[in-house]
Amino acid sequence: MDLVETLSEGCRVLTGGEPYARDSAPFCPAGLPAAVALPTSVAEVRHVLEVSAAYGVPVVPQGARTGLAGGANAVDGCVVLSLTGLNRILEIDPANRLARCEPGVTTRALQEAVAAHGLHYPPDPVSRDTCTIGGNIATGAGGLCCVKYGVTGDYVLGLSVVLAGGRLVRTGRRTVKGVAGLDLTSLFVGSEGTLGVIVEATLALRPARGPVRGLLAQFGSAAEAGEAVAAVVAAGHTPSALELMDRHVCGAIRDLGHDLAAAPTLVVECDDGSLPDIAELIGGTATEHALELRRLIAPAMGRIMAGMPGRPTAFIEDVAVPRSELAALIDRVETIAARAGLFIGTTGHAGDGNLHPIVLFCADDPAAVARASAAYDEIMAAGLELGGTITGEHGVGLLKRDWLARELDPAALELQRGLKRLFDPAGLLNPGKVLHV
């Protein structure tokens, strides 16, 4: 039997996998899969990995394909392993404040399910309505509320993972504390499907949040906005969200019909009663819908793109710097945008120094693509020069693989390559992503 026939013995399979060829990242090549496997159980995932090993065919795990680093892009002749069919919430345990779920559960679905028990799952990516828990774990996703509640990896207590060849391994624990053995759970967080395929997660929960209040504060310059962020942190406040939008982004939101000046802006949200103190410290106007304004960025960019010729594309960058360098990075991005002749608006999570420059360009204009790609490289270089990192939450994938070698210590990079070879000696799991091996 051929590959597709053998796969079909234990799992639903599609051929003609063009719709599954790539995630949401530009600048990244994508191949054509030989087949798309659509499992609905752990046994079916194991079958796919067993067949892959027997035929020597690469496997590319995928979630909702909302990733922005090319980490879910197919390679020619691979089996795409779509995990969206494993979408059950298996357990919600209020007494121990944990949940177990399969990787295809969306972030929003998990949040709503645990809220019915008076609990809260804090990781909050902007794409929460569609992105999946498995994808969030695989990429080490962050979100809007990281400044207070941390990132996805902070909530992963344990995992079930199918390794290359089909072996199932369980890592981690259900207890609040636990230091028995090496922390294999954390090793899989952010590994982007290169070490194994996550099929179940045990996640920590928190009590429901208190009443949420919001604040909108605008400033005359990026430097003033950066100083306000520093002042909030220095005063000991921990807002649940501390978001920044530059003048270009705010101008685009204003053009949607909102009363907002085209000026650097902080969007603050608190669920602990500290908002009046923060307002006294940095000024601003109280609003009940602070983060909803932040979520208007996508339609605001869409309006600009609607007026662009050709096939307009929005590329959302991801770079993190020390909070003290936020203003410097924003200024550097403005200089890069002017030199490239591109619209680049910067937004992001000011509370943890993670910014997302949004580059708009026409994908069918080779000159514009080249300028956008060069601008991306300059932004990456600026982040590293300012003491930062090439990714705060989107992952490495294909897009930043070469940049990873510029950031990491050479000895640390070689250790990571060694781990990849240990877990995946035949190099069949998501090949070419994250590391050159």
Side-chain angles (χ1 to χ4, degrees):
M1 290 190 292
D2 66 13
L3 171 69
V4 174
E5 290 175 324
T6 307
L7 285 170
S8 298
E9 288 186 332
C11 179
R12 181 182 169 217
V13 177
L14 300 177
T15 55
E18 177 64 28
Y20 292 84
R22 61 169 58 250
D23 63 15
S24 300
F27 309 136
C28 295
L32 185 64
V36 178
L38 302 167
T40 57
S41 70
V42 174
E44 291 182 356
V45 174
R46 297 185 68 182
H47 169 73
V48 172
L49 272 292
E50 289 167 0
V51 172
S52 160
Y55 281 79
V57 174
V59 172
V60 176
Q62 287 185 352
R65 302 194 306 280
T66 57
L68 292 165
N73 283 14
V75 297
D76 283 331
C78 76
V79 174
V80 162
L81 177 58
S82 175
L83 296 158
T84 55
L86 278 75
N87 55 14
R88 297 178 301 158
I89 296 174
L90 303 170
E91 178 186 6
I92 298 173
D93 181 348
N96 291 302
R97 292 183 188 166
L98 62 82
R100 288 191 306 115
C101 72
E102 294 180 325
V105 174
T106 66
T107 308
R108 182 67 171 265
L110 180 63
Q111 289 174 332
E112 291 179 347
V114 304
H117 295 264
L119 297 168
H120 176 47
Y121 178 67
D124 192 32
V126 173
S127 58
R128 63 180 178 174
D129 290 351
T130 53
C131 67
T132 61
I133 294 297
N136 292 169
I137 295 170
T139 58
L144 299 178
C145 296
C146 299
V147 61
K148 179 171 185 176
Y149 291 109
V151 297
T152 297
D154 297 320
Y155 294 86
V156 182
L157 295 174
L159 296 170
S160 291
V161 181
V162 179
L163 302 178
R167 183 162 53 124
L168 179 67
V169 61
R170 292 183 174 85
T171 74
R173 63 195 192 280
R174 292 174 62 97
T175 56
V176 175
K177 296 168 65 178
V179 293
L182 301 179
D183 187 359
L184 294 180
T185 302
S186 293
L187 189 61
F188 285 107
V189 175
S191 64
E192 302 188 46
T194 62
L195 303 182
V197 178
I198 295 166
V199 291
E200 183 185 308
T202 301
L203 304 168
L205 305 175
R206 291 202 176 196
R209 299 170 66 187
V212 175
R213 299 183 62 191
L215 178 75
L216 190 71
Q218 297 201 283
F219 302 90
S221 68
E224 291 179 13
E227 290 168 1
V229 171
V232 170
V233 174
H237 298 301
T238 309
S240 52
L242 183 53
E243 297 289 295
L244 183 144
M245 301 183 294
D246 77 353
R247 61 188 182 94
H248 303 292
V249 169
C250 289
I253 293 174
R254 177 199 59 197
D255 292 343
L256 288 177
H258 295 270
D259 184 16
L260 188 69
T265 300
L266 291 181
V267 177
V268 186
E269 185 182 81
C270 295
D271 55 13
D272 60 0
S274 64
L275 194 72
D277 293 334
I278 293 176
E280 184 176 351
L281 185 65
I282 67 171
T285 304
T287 173
E288 294 182 2
H289 307 290
L291 284 190
E292 294 309 312
L293 187 68
R294 167 69 168 78
R295 295 184 196 277
L296 288 174
I297 292 174
M301 295 300 103
R303 182 180 182 278
I304 294 174
M305 293 165 64
M308 294 170 59
R311 184 162 56 94
T313 298
F315 173 42
I316 305 174
E317 187 43 83
D318 168 42
V319 60
V321 295
R323 285 186 292 245
S324 59
E325 300 295 344
L326 280 170
L329 181 58
I330 292 172
D331 289 341
R332 294 278 288 272
V333 171
E334 288 216 1
T335 300
I336 292 166
R339 184 163 54 242
L342 296 169
F343 178 97
I344 305 180
T346 300
T347 183
H349 318 307
D352 49 28
N354 189 188
L355 295 183
H356 299 305
I358 304 170
V359 185
L360 304 186
F361 63 98
C362 291
D364 50 7
D365 178 350
V369 172
R371 295 198 309 274
S373 180
Y376 153 75
D377 280 340
E378 290 188 58
I379 292 170
M380 288 291 94
L384 291 181
E385 289 169 13
L386 293 169
T389 177
I390 59 171
T391 176
E393 57 187 11
H394 290 174
V396 175
L398 281 173
L399 184 68
K400 299 185 177 182
R401 184 181 61 183
D402 292 337
W403 281 95
L404 185 66
R406 304 190 197 189
E407 176 175 337
L408 295 185
D409 172 83
L413 184 62
E414 188 52 40
L415 284 172
Q416 294 196 28
R417 289 176 174 145
L419 287 168
K420 167 65 174 174
R421 290 188 288 266
L422 174 66
F423 278 86
D424 182 23
L428 297 179
L429 287 177
N430 214 6
K433 313 299 171 52
V434 185
L435 297 165
H436 287 288
V437 178

